[in-house]
Amino acid sequence: MFQDIVETNLFTMADKVIEILKSKYLIRPISYQGLERMEPLEYPEAALREAVLNAIIHKDYSSTFIFLRVYDDRLEIWNPGSLPEELTIEQLKERHSSYPRNINIASVFFKAGYVESWGRGTTKIISACLEAGLPEPLIEEDRGGFRVVFRKDIYTRELLQTMDLNERQIKAVLYAKVNGHITNSDYQEINDIGKSVSASELQNLVDKRMLVRIGNTGRSTKYVLPTGKI
């Protein structure tokens, strides 16, 4: 619906991008802690800023632009330049060494205080999202570049398929998402299975904190999604 081009010096670029996201593209869901009104961005600002800084510092400046796209259910940041051969995607999710593509830019950003420590950018992005109750961001190499995808909803088929769930359980979670809850009878009907298997697999979803059980026994027992996860 909208398109912006940010052209400024590298030091002010991250702040300018965050400013545009706040004013034009992202919302601030309202909640309360006691009497205090809370209005955080729908994605953690610290994580967004870190991802933008990483894209600026590690961009291949002989190639194309950095692209940031905002969708209803996700936000993507892509910069040209693949990972150095010394690192893998999985290693980025834990303590790791830093191999800046642009050593002079990285050094200046570090000395100016924009980078707190080497090798912690991606772990800070992940931890900030998890602390905010959001799914772990998707981090991947794509078409000669590096992409970070911030996601709002843990209950999508794409994400559920990455978890230790069978197809019946995935179907049940999506059913509860659409209908507000699911019962043992519903589980049996949509999966064409017996009561004992249904009860076991529903309990497994509760144990994994994918569903919350309401009621103890009988037909009044329902399973709903945990609050604050969508």
Side-chain angles (χ1 to χ4, degrees), residues 43 70-75 149-153 156 158:
Y43 303 103
V70 181
Y71 301 90
D72 288 340
D73 62 341
R74 68 192 187 279
L75 181 152
V149 183
F150 294 89
R151 299 175 285 190
K152 293 182 185 178
D153 186 357
T156 64
E158 176 189 16

Side-chain angles (χ1 to χ4, degrees), residues 24-43:
K24 198 169 181 180
Y25 293 98
L26 300 182
I27 63 173
R28 291 182 177 271
I30 297 173
S31 62
Y32 290 87
Q33 289 186 2
L35 297 178
E36 185 179 0
R37 178 183 172 114
M38 311 297 292
E39 295 184 60
L41 285 176
E42 52 191 322
Y43 303 103

Side-chain angles (χ1 to χ4, degrees), residues 15 47 57 61-62 74 82 104 110 133 136 143-144 148 157 204:
D15 289 334
I57 292 171
Y61 282 90
S62 67
R74 68 192 187 279
S82 55
N104 291 332
F110 178 75
E136 179 179 311
R143 303 180 189 186
V148 178
R157 174 168 288 279
N204 181 256

Side-chain angles (χ1 to χ4, degrees), residues 20 35 38 43 56 66-67 70 105 111 120 129 133 173-176 205 209 222:
I20 292 174
L35 297 178
M38 311 297 292
Y43 303 103
I56 293 170
I66 296 171
F67 292 93
V70 181
I105 294 175
K111 292 175 181 177
R120 288 198 57 207
C129 288
V173 171
L174 296 176
Y175 181 96
L205 288 170
R209 298 182 181 179
K222 298 178 181 179

Side-chain angles (χ1 to χ4, degrees), residues 10 13-14 17 48-61 64-68 76-81 101-102 105 109 125 146-148:
L10 296 187
M13 184 170 290
V17 170
L48 291 174
R49 187 179 300 277
E50 192 70 35
V52 173
L53 286 171
N54 277 355
I56 293 170
I57 292 171
H58 297 291
K59 175 189 175 184
D60 178 358
Y61 282 90
T64 185
F65 307 100
I66 296 171
F67 292 93
L68 190 156
E76 301 182 1
I77 301 177
W78 180 91
N79 65 271
R101 180 183 308 280
N102 306 294
I105 294 175
F109 269 69
I125 292 169
F146 184 79
R147 185 192 314 277
V148 178

Side-chain angles (χ1 to χ4, degrees), residues 49-202:
R49 187 179 300 277
E50 192 70 35
V52 173
L53 286 171
N54 277 355
I56 293 170
I57 292 171
H58 297 291
K59 175 189 175 184
D60 178 358
Y61 282 90
S62 67
S63 186
T64 185
F65 307 100
I66 296 171
F67 292 93
L68 190 156
R69 295 182 171 91
V70 181
Y71 301 90
D72 288 340
D73 62 341
R74 68 192 187 279
L75 181 152
E76 301 182 1
I77 301 177
W78 180 91
N79 65 271
S82 55
L83 276 179
E85 61 182 17
E86 294 88 352
L87 290 174
T88 66
I89 293 295
E90 288 306 311
Q91 288 172 332
L92 293 178
K93 300 179 181 181
E94 55 192 29
R95 192 179 187 91
H96 60 275
S97 299
S98 179
Y99 298 88
R101 180 183 308 280
N102 306 294
I103 190 65
N104 291 332
I105 294 175
S107 178
V108 171
F109 269 69
F110 178 75
K111 292 175 181 177
Y114 285 84
V115 178
E116 294 180 6
S117 60
W118 299 115
R120 288 198 57 207
T122 46
T123 58
K124 286 175 62 179
I125 292 169
I126 292 171
S127 62
C129 288
L130 295 179
E131 288 171 9
L134 295 176
E136 179 179 311
L138 175 65
I139 299 174
E140 62 182 359
E141 290 188 271
D142 180 54
R143 303 180 189 186
F146 184 79
R147 185 192 314 277
V148 178
V149 183
F150 294 89
R151 299 175 285 190
K152 293 182 185 178
D153 186 357
I154 193 173
Y155 296 108
T156 64
R157 174 168 288 279
E158 176 189 16
L159 266 177
L160 292 172
Q161 286 175 334
T162 67
M163 303 177 183
D164 186 23
L165 304 176
N166 62 40
E167 182 59 32
R168 293 189 297 270
Q169 290 174 312
I170 292 174
K171 189 186 298 184
V173 171
L174 296 176
Y175 181 96
K177 177 181 177 180
V178 172
N179 296 281
H181 70 271
I182 188 170
T183 65
N184 192 306
S185 297
D186 294 331
Y187 196 101
Q188 294 175 57
E189 182 177 348
I190 65 174
N191 288 308
D192 193 24
I193 57 172
K195 184 176 181 179
S196 61
V197 175
S198 175
S200 174
E201 294 188 350
L202 281 168

Side-chain angles (χ1 to χ4, degrees), residues 199-215:
S200 174
E201 294 188 350
L202 281 168
Q203 184 58 49
N204 181 256
L205 288 170
V206 171
D207 294 339
K208 291 178 177 177
R209 298 182 181 179
M210 301 299 299
L211 293 176
V212 174
R213 180 173 176 164
I214 300 176

